[in-house]
Amino acid sequence: MKLNFPKAPLTSTSRQNRIPLRGMMVLSAALTLLAPVVEAQSLPTISSRETARRQEEVLVAEKLIAKGEQAAKDKNYEQAYLDYLDALEKIPAGGMTLIRRNNAIVRFSEIGVAYANDLVKNGRYSDAERVAKTVLLPEFNPGYKPAVQFLSNLEQSDVFNKTVTPQFAADRDQVVKLLVEADGFYATGRFDLAVKRYEQVLNIDRYNSAARLGIENVNKQKANYYGAAYNETRSRMLWQVTRAWERPVKRAQTRASDNQQNRSNSSTSVEAITAKLNRIMIPKIDLTDVTIREAVDRLKQLSKQLDTSTDDATQKKGVNIVLKLASAVGPAPAAGGAVPPPGDAAAPAAGAGPAPATADTRVTLALNNVPLIEALRYLTDLAGLKYKIEPYAVSIVPVTENTDELLTKEFNVPPGFIPADASAAPAEAAPTAGAGPNINTPRLRDRVDAKKFLEDQGVVFPEGASAQYPPGGTKMTVRNTQDALDLVSMIVDAAAEGQPKQVEIESKFLEISQNNLKELGFNWLVGPFSVGGGMYGAGGTVGYNQPVNSTVYPFVTGSQAVGTNPVTGGLRSGYGVTPDAAVSANSLDALIAGINPGAVAAAPGILGISGIFTNPQFQVVIRALNQKKGVDLMSAPKVTTKSGSRATIKVVRNFPYPTEFNPPEPPPATNYIQGTASEGAFSSQGLVTPSTPTAFQSRDVGVTLEVEPLVGPDNYTIDLSLSPQVVEFDGFINYGSPILGPAFDPLTVSIVSSVLTENVVNQPIFSTRKVVTNVSIWDGQTVALGGLIREDVQKVQDKVPIIGDIPIAGRLFRSDVDQKIKRNLIIFVTARLMDAEGRPVRQEDDQEEVVEPLGLPENLPAPTFKRGK
């Protein structure tokens, strides 16, 4: 006879508080309960059973000890403590197990103190005290000094930090977890998610320096990335300028367009199964008094035999047909889920319709030369059923089941789309006598039932359909048929029309300019020399762009350059506005740069050589320059405006300049008659009043963006009327001219002309880049404007006739100049729909993927690794 005593489940706290009974007390209680049984059974039988039971408990205790040791290695002291506590209850205190029990008590005491210290770290001081006192119980280890010392330290006020609360410890653990996840995101390059985790840490611990350092590291990595992106963008825009010289080659059309191929491959699974059902022809089918299940099996066999869509044996042939019908065995559930009594199963209620068809319903069907889909239609009509074509099979279902496919769609709705009072919860029941107030009443009153609200608007919800909408949110998830979803979309669009629509416009102006200049030339000067017979030779004439002076040639004797006359005077060099300049400057740019008409800025000389050829002196100067100059401009103005309203954003400087001037007033002329001067001559004396501005005009210099967005009726398309403009100040041009007047020259004792005033009339020069356009884009998309590419190329190849054609040595008498100025301006405009709260209507959140460890089986040993040699 075996008696089973019920044992109440124990929580972790109750397991800590319980004290195992002594072995003799348990045995005494058991013998008292088993007294009637002992009278009926022999004493040896009871003794053998008790011995076997104790041996089984010892084996269970050994497993618990092993499990507790593993938990202790994993720093899970709570589980180790509980496992040892259970093991000590199963090991008897005397006999052959005494040594084993004493060893277990020693280990239990060590783990108990470790567990108590772990509880203190988490702020659970009362639990820690209870664990230490359990270790010191008489049946365990009453004289264990570490436990006594722990309790003594617990009573001291300066040993443990009593300000650590369980909530603080939980926050600390959460911070550690978030930091680990943030470091993982940072290591894998998901910087936005890493910043999000660091910010979550700072929300818990605002003074966490590790989180701040992590954000700093993320920002450095982002800066490195954006630096590389800048270099890549600049290089791409520059080679686009060079690529613009390529002339496109017409391609011959030799195959069908990709759109036709895409259309041929765009059939869905449902359409493919429907096509197969219409394509499979059944020559003859004769079914007499067979069940629906047998008829379906026959149709599946015929579909496999008659499917000629492929000859590959590995390809799927035939059509899957699935029965979704109730079995005829057992009574069908009644309304409300109640099952009728067995005696009434065969007798339908008075006035009830025919019993629903089941898989065992029998039919008779005979058809010739029909498609498989028609055979299915006849079969289901005979049985009072219907079929439903799904992506991977055809289902036969009861006629009452909804065969429309349920789809899930998320709608962006304006805040307060469903008023709280429009779908309020049912009236609250009257409180019972003596009951307190219902604390959930406000929450129930404000609860929003999206399904009820949509049903009131005429949306039908079949079985399995649902609608979810958080109060005050902007997202509503509806699962329903396609027709119902279209109706819900119309309701949402109608509600959104009355809401303010805002559009955030972000424009980026990127301008890359590159000026590449290469020049290599040689200037030769040769002095006069004798050729014999009374004849002499010398270098050529002095070129206008190469004056023979110390500013151009390094070797000078007195006031003349060594060699005197240039041989290569006709070779052009440098930058200027005259035909003698190698690179011609634009007249406007030259005026802005202050280059006077006729001036030439010669290329720098990098090396000069001078010497004597027996008789004549010579000098050669090597002029070379390889220069690259780039100027980059990037502006990114951003503005948010309502749909249909024009917005203007300016990042400019106001530049006032004069437009009207008073003319200068020279001093009056006086008559001067003296000596040899002509009678009646005049001389100007006194001060000159220069021209002064009288009227001013202002001009905005910088970036200006005018935009007028219009949100389309689909609440997704945005029509933009854009007018971005970049205005730059290039410099002044002096439209005035010096005013001359007579003056007396005492050296020549005559009247000469002199400059009374320079009469400077400066007017600014502005460069404008402007685009006016109308485009239609989707929410969150970017449109590129402009792409204004320009490249100015100047190439000069000059050489001295005859001498410059000499191989190798002729290179010393040639001058090559190559200048390329590349400009590329692109304007990017991004439009995003915003709600009234300033949040994007369509948010693009990063998907967070944190893989949780799966764990290992309990008895699986830890893996070992061997160090390679």
Side-chain angles (χ1 to χ4, degrees), residues 9-261:
L10 297 175
T11 63
S12 61
T13 304
S14 62
R15 296 175 71 177
Q16 295 171 9
N17 293 333
R18 65 181 176 179
I19 302 174
L21 300 177
R22 295 179 180 275
M24 294 303 296
M25 294 176 64
V26 174
L27 180 60
S28 176
L31 291 176
T32 302
L33 294 174
L34 296 175
V37 182
V38 174
E39 294 179 357
Q41 298 182 4
S42 61
L43 185 60
T45 303
I46 297 175
S47 177
S48 60
R49 289 182 178 178
E50 181 65 21
T51 302
R53 184 187 64 80
R54 293 188 177 184
Q55 292 177 352
E56 292 179 358
E57 289 187 348
V58 171
L59 294 178
V60 173
E62 291 293 339
K63 293 181 179 180
L64 289 173
I65 291 175
K67 184 179 178 182
E69 282 297 324
Q70 183 60 41
K73 291 180 180 179
D74 297 337
K75 305 298 183 181
N76 189 358
Y77 295 115
E78 180 179 5
Q79 186 62 42
Y81 171 80
L82 296 176
D83 290 339
Y84 264 95
L85 192 61
D86 291 340
L88 289 175
E89 290 185 358
K90 298 181 180 300
I91 300 177
M96 300 177 62
T97 60
L98 179 60
I99 298 176
R100 186 176 302 171
R101 178 179 175 83
N102 291 337
N103 293 335
I105 287 176
V106 173
R107 185 59 179 152
F108 167 73
S109 302
E110 296 174 352
I111 292 176
V113 174
Y115 179 37
N117 282 281
D118 189 63
L119 291 173
V120 167
K121 293 180 181 178
N122 294 325
R124 298 168 57 184
Y125 303 105
S126 59
D127 293 341
E129 180 181 3
R130 189 180 301 111
V131 170
K133 290 182 178 179
T134 302
V135 173
L136 296 175
L137 290 175
E139 53 269 17
F140 292 139
N141 199 345
Y144 190 58
K145 292 184 179 180
V148 175
Q149 183 64 39
F150 174 80
L151 291 175
S152 176
N153 294 338
L154 198 61
E155 295 178 356
Q156 303 295 327
S157 60
D158 57 346
V159 177
F160 297 113
N161 187 0
K162 298 296 182 64
T163 62
V164 177
T165 62
Q167 180 62 39
F168 177 85
D171 292 343
R172 180 185 59 199
D173 296 340
Q174 181 67 12
V175 165
V176 173
K177 179 181 178 182
L178 291 174
L179 286 176
V180 172
E181 292 181 4
D183 293 341
F185 285 134
Y186 173 78
T188 55
R190 292 175 286 182
F191 299 130
D192 293 336
L193 292 177
V195 171
K196 185 177 180 180
R197 287 292 183 271
Y198 288 130
E199 289 177 348
Q200 291 176 358
V201 170
L202 293 175
N203 288 332
I204 299 174
D205 182 8
R206 59 183 299 184
Y207 300 111
N208 191 286
S209 58
R212 291 291 183 184
L213 181 60
I215 295 177
E216 180 184 359
N217 293 333
V218 169
N219 293 335
K220 289 180 180 179
Q221 292 297 327
K222 284 185 175 181
N224 294 336
Y225 164 77
Y226 289 123
Y230 163 77
N231 294 330
E232 187 273 335
T233 302
R234 192 174 190 279
S235 63
R236 178 181 296 271
M237 296 182 69
L238 288 176
W239 70 251
Q240 284 176 351
V241 176
T242 306
R243 188 185 63 175
W245 289 98
E246 178 189 14
R247 297 184 61 185
V249 180
K250 293 184 178 180
R251 295 183 180 180
Q253 293 292 112
T254 58
R255 61 184 181 88
S257 64
D258 295 336
N259 292 333
Q260 295 178 353
Q261 293 184 357

Side-chain angles (χ1 to χ4, degrees), residues 360-415:
D360 297 325
T361 301
R362 295 185 173 273
V363 295
T364 299
L365 180 66
L367 298 171
N368 293 326
N369 295 325
V370 294
L372 179 57
I373 191 170
E374 290 298 320
L376 278 174
R377 185 176 65 83
Y378 282 113
L379 176 63
T380 53
D381 289 345
L382 285 175
L385 303 169
K386 62 181 179 179
Y387 65 90
K388 176 183 178 183
I389 302 177
E390 296 178 346
Y392 301 100
V394 178
S395 300
I396 297 180
V397 297
V399 71
T400 57
E401 182 175 334
N402 181 26
T403 56
D404 291 334
E405 183 180 2
L406 296 181
L407 305 176
T408 302
K409 185 176 180 180
E410 188 179 74
F411 295 90
N412 292 322
V413 298

Side-chain angles (χ1 to χ4, degrees), residues 848-868:
E848 303 180 7
E849 299 178 359
V850 179
V851 180
E852 299 292 342
L854 300 177
L856 299 174
E858 295 183 357
N859 299 327
L860 184 67
T864 58
F865 301 93
K866 294 182 179 180
R867 188 181 300 275

